[in-house]
Amino acid sequence: MTDAEREQRFRTLAALVVEPVRRYLVRRTDAATADEVLNETLLVCWRRLDEVPTEPVEIIPWAIVVARNLLANAQRAERRRTRLVGKIVALDPPASVIEFETDGSDAIAVRDALTRLRRDDADLLRLWAWDGLESPQLATVLGISANAAAIRLHRAKKRLRDELLKSAPPAGHVEAEEGSTDARR
């Protein structure tokens, strides 16, 4: 098959599967994840174009199976990210998390703080907390010395703590319970 024939086959395939796969995904996840998984599905279709069935009636189910598997991967990744937040808090809780009672909002605060970090810092913290890598292993992954990895990890933890402190209530702040009257006001 020539490059032009391959491209034309993919265009035809894409036109056939985009809407059915999008509908399938939107019924099962949020719009952003659906779009991301749809794009990944099309990429798999391109890469595995020779494996895509030639019968039009078989193409859509084949593409939906690909999308279903990719969606399952995305959902597993989201669950791992959620566990990562909990693990970071459990392994090396920033001071602001230690000071406040845990009610589930801590995990959300850590997740939000991670999204505000530089990508390299967030990735490093995930490798450390999520994958359980220490400085020597981080060094191998990053292609740097173990000492440099330890320094980067220390700085990333500090930046995470700083982000958490930015969003933490002021020290000594106590929220009044709803409906209570406080004579000290």
Side-chain angles (χ1 to χ4, degrees):
M1 181 181 307
T2 67
D3 287 346
E5 291 171 333
R6 184 172 173 80
E7 183 178 337
Q8 184 53 47
R9 179 158 187 238
F10 177 75
R11 288 179 187 273
T12 303
L13 169 76
L16 184 63
V17 302
V18 164
E19 285 309 313
V21 170
R22 179 179 283 125
R23 283 192 306 271
Y24 171 85
L25 292 168
V26 167
R27 287 191 304 265
R28 287 160 177 79
T29 190
D30 60 276
T33 303
D35 287 342
E36 186 176 316
V37 172
L38 176 61
N39 289 336
E40 290 177 28
T41 301
L42 291 173
L43 183 60
V44 168
C45 288
W46 173 255
R47 288 180 178 160
R48 297 175 54 192
L49 194 57
D50 296 334
E51 299 173 36
V52 176
T54 55
E55 294 296 318
V57 71
E58 297 173 353
I59 292 173
I60 292 172
W62 186 90
I64 287 175
V65 167
V66 170
R68 184 182 70 199
N69 292 337
L70 292 170
L71 179 59
N73 290 343
Q75 290 168 334
R76 276 192 297 277
E78 182 57 34
R79 287 191 300 273
R80 284 191 302 264
R81 278 189 290 277
T82 302
R83 285 193 307 266
L84 161 68
V85 169
K87 192 170 184 180
I88 287 174
V89 170
L91 290 175
D92 189 20
S96 64
V97 174
I98 295 170
E99 293 170 10
F100 303 108
E101 206 173 287
T102 302
D103 62 1
S105 64
D106 292 338
I108 294 168
V110 173
R111 185 194 66 208
D112 292 345
L114 275 171
T115 63
R116 292 189 302 269
L117 292 177
R118 291 188 337 228
R119 184 178 185 157
D120 290 346
D121 286 344
D123 288 343
L124 181 65
L125 288 168
R126 287 182 182 110
L127 285 168
W128 167 72
W130 182 8
D131 297 315
L133 301 182
E134 295 299 329
S135 297
Q137 295 90 13
L138 290 169
T140 300
V141 171
L142 300 173
I144 58 177
S145 72
N147 188 45
I151 291 169
R152 285 187 190 179
L153 179 59
H154 174 76
R155 289 177 180 164
K157 288 178 186 178
K158 182 182 180 319
R159 288 184 190 109
L160 177 62
R161 186 189 71 235
D162 293 346
E163 282 298 326
L164 287 165
L165 290 173
K166 284 181 193 175
S167 61
H173 175 78
V174 177
E175 292 186 28
E177 290 183 28
E178 191 174 321
S180 71
T181 56
D182 192 339
R184 292 174 285 171
R185 287 186 195 172

